[in-house]
Amino acid sequence: YVSGVANDTESQVLTAFVKQYYASSPFVPSTLMLQYPLDDREVILEWLSGCKGHKVREVVPQRGQKERLVELAAENARNVLTKDREKIRLEEARTTGAVRDLAEMLGLPAGIRRMEAFDISNISGVETVGSMIVYENGKPKRNAYRKFKIRTVKGQDDYRCMEEVLTRRFQHGLEETVSGEEGKFSDFPDVLMMDGGKGQVNVALKVLNQLHLKIPVCGMVKDDHHRTRGLYYQQVELPIDTHSEMFKLITRMQDEAHRFAIEYHRQLRSKTQVRSVLDEIPGIGPARRKALMKYFGSIEKIREADEEELMKAESMNAGSARAVYAYFH
């Protein structure tokens, strides 16, 4: 694929391609059959001949079998480009096109580049966590996702948990901005997408007002069946065509924020369960617990191991292996 060549001639485009392609190709042919003659023909053929070890020649066939071969190559290229153009069009519609529609719906003339969505997970009130996901130009930017373990809230209070998460996220961002260092939170969103309606939107607005930030906030409102039904923005619920690409984008973001929060929650629960089981075994401290999990990978594998296998983990000795084996048997 070649871009930025709208003002170039066919020969210039083909010449650029030949130079790029054969600069990294392990094979150089004896003959190049081309649609158009090369620019800098002598220089390029001399270079290719040096790569090949003997003379390389250029042919621009005008009739016969060679001309038909070149036309076949051109036809193949056209077919691929036609198919990919449709794929590109569909991809554009579900990403940047959907974002444009959202910006228009919200009345944001400057458009939207970056969106952040947040969710809280507190299954059974254990290890409450928050998730922040990022979409840029309608696509997930996974290396910008962030996880938060709730520090200040006890029990199930999603509003206070969300307030803590948003405060930490934007305080970090402001600190990085003041210091002039580009960090994990210095890139602020053009719009916040909250997983919920009026309540979660008001929490976000409260935090932003306290920090003197002006960022549009939307609530992704769900129906009684926990499906997205619309957006809550500036005290009004905006209905959305459920068949539109914008609706599908919002739903993807809502599902992704929820998935990421649940995934982090499960990680923490798994660590807690491992710690609680192995902590009960005499002689197994943090170092041996970590070594056992690193070597075996799971509690179940540790349970199945005999004393000799248990001793293979770093820092384990006969006594500690015997204690672990006795605990599980």
Side-chain angles (χ1 to χ4, degrees):
Y1 291 91
V2 186
S3 58
V5 293
N7 297 320
D8 292 352
T9 66
E10 288 89 346
S11 289
Q12 288 172 329
V13 173
L14 195 56
T15 300
F17 168 73
V18 166
K19 289 193 289 188
Q20 290 179 36
Y21 181 78
Y22 288 109
S24 58
S25 174
F27 173 75
V28 177
S30 299
T31 303
L32 293 181
M33 290 189 287
L34 307 172
Q35 270 184 304
Y36 309 100
L38 293 171
D39 287 353
D40 302 324
R41 176 179 177 277
E42 291 184 6
V43 174
I44 293 173
L45 292 178
E46 183 178 348
W47 165 62
L48 289 173
S49 297
C51 296
K52 179 70 174 175
H54 59 76
K55 188 172 182 178
V56 174
R57 66 193 186 100
E58 170 207 53
V59 176
V60 183
Q62 302 298 315
R63 64 180 71 84
Q65 183 182 13
K66 291 180 180 179
E67 192 275 335
R68 289 194 294 275
L69 280 172
V70 170
E71 180 52 38
L72 178 61
E75 183 64 26
N76 286 342
R78 280 192 291 271
N79 289 338
V80 170
L81 194 59
T82 299
K83 290 179 182 177
D84 284 1
R85 187 182 290 123
E86 181 62 15
K87 281 165 48 178
I88 291 168
R89 187 191 67 77
L90 293 172
E91 178 66 10
E92 192 275 342
R94 68 189 294 273
T95 55
T96 54
V99 173
R100 274 198 307 272
D101 291 344
L102 178 62
E104 185 177 330
M105 181 181 187
L106 301 180
L108 302 177
I112 297 171
R113 177 185 66 89
R114 179 181 172 110
M115 296 185 285
E116 293 179 4
F118 295 80
D119 194 18
I120 300 294
S121 176
N122 53 13
I123 301 170
S124 304
V126 179
E127 292 281 21
T128 303
V129 302
S131 70
M132 167 186 137
I133 67 155
V134 178
Y135 271 54
E136 287 192 356
N137 300 316
K139 298 178 182 179
K141 187 179 181 182
R142 292 188 172 83
N143 63 349
Y145 287 14
R146 297 291 176 256
K147 307 169 183 175
F148 301 85
K149 186 190 287 189
I150 301 302
R151 299 171 180 167
T152 63
V153 182
K154 302 298 181 185
Q156 291 182 296
D157 189 331
D158 284 0
Y159 289 163
R160 288 181 58 212
C161 290
M162 186 62 75
E163 184 176 350
E164 179 188 325
V165 167
L166 292 172
T167 301
R168 285 165 57 188
R169 183 265 177 269
F170 287 108
Q171 278 184 340
H172 279 313
L174 289 170
E175 289 165 5
E176 290 172 358
T177 302
V178 170
S179 69
E181 296 180 7
E182 187 174 330
K184 297 178 179 178
F185 297 100
S186 57
D187 195 357
F188 284 5
D190 299 304
V191 64
L192 283 185
M193 307 292 286
M194 306 305 299
D195 186 44
K198 182 177 181 180
Q200 293 286 20
V201 169
N202 287 340
V203 169
L205 291 172
K206 174 186 174 184
V207 171
L208 294 173
N209 288 335
Q210 289 172 343
L211 297 175
H212 307 291
L213 293 171
K214 291 190 178 297
I215 299 173
V217 182
C218 286
M220 298 181 286
V221 184
K222 297 175 182 175
D223 60 21
D224 294 337
H225 302 287
H226 211 65
R227 294 176 302 210
T228 306
R229 76 173 187 222
L231 283 180
Y232 182 80
Y233 182 62
Q234 294 183 336
Q235 310 299 318
V236 177
E237 184 175 324
L238 306 173
I240 307 175
D241 177 4
T242 57
H243 300 291
S244 68
E245 292 297 342
M246 178 175 63
F247 177 83
K248 294 173 186 175
L249 173 64
I250 293 167
T251 301
R252 285 198 299 275
M253 290 188 67
Q254 198 167 34
D255 292 343
E256 181 71 348
H258 185 62
R259 178 201 66 77
F260 192 56
I262 292 292
E263 180 184 277
Y264 183 41
H265 194 278
R266 285 174 180 159
Q267 289 174 359
L268 292 180
R269 271 195 304 169
S270 177
K271 289 180 181 178
T272 301
Q273 289 166 357
V274 168
R275 191 176 298 116
S276 63
V277 170
L278 297 182
D279 275 349
E280 297 178 13
I281 305 175
I284 303 300
R288 282 176 174 156
R289 183 174 66 232
K290 184 177 179 180
L292 284 167
M293 286 305 298
K294 183 178 179 181
Y295 186 83
F296 290 100
S298 69
I299 288 291
E300 194 56 40
K301 292 284 180 62
I302 296 172
R303 189 194 312 273
E304 294 170 356
D306 59 27
E307 291 182 33
E308 186 176 339
E309 289 175 307
L310 290 166
M311 285 179 61
K312 293 178 181 178
E314 188 178 347
S315 78
M316 292 291 288
N317 56 33
S320 57
R322 194 177 307 116
V324 173
Y325 185 81
Y327 177 84
F328 286 113
H329 298 85

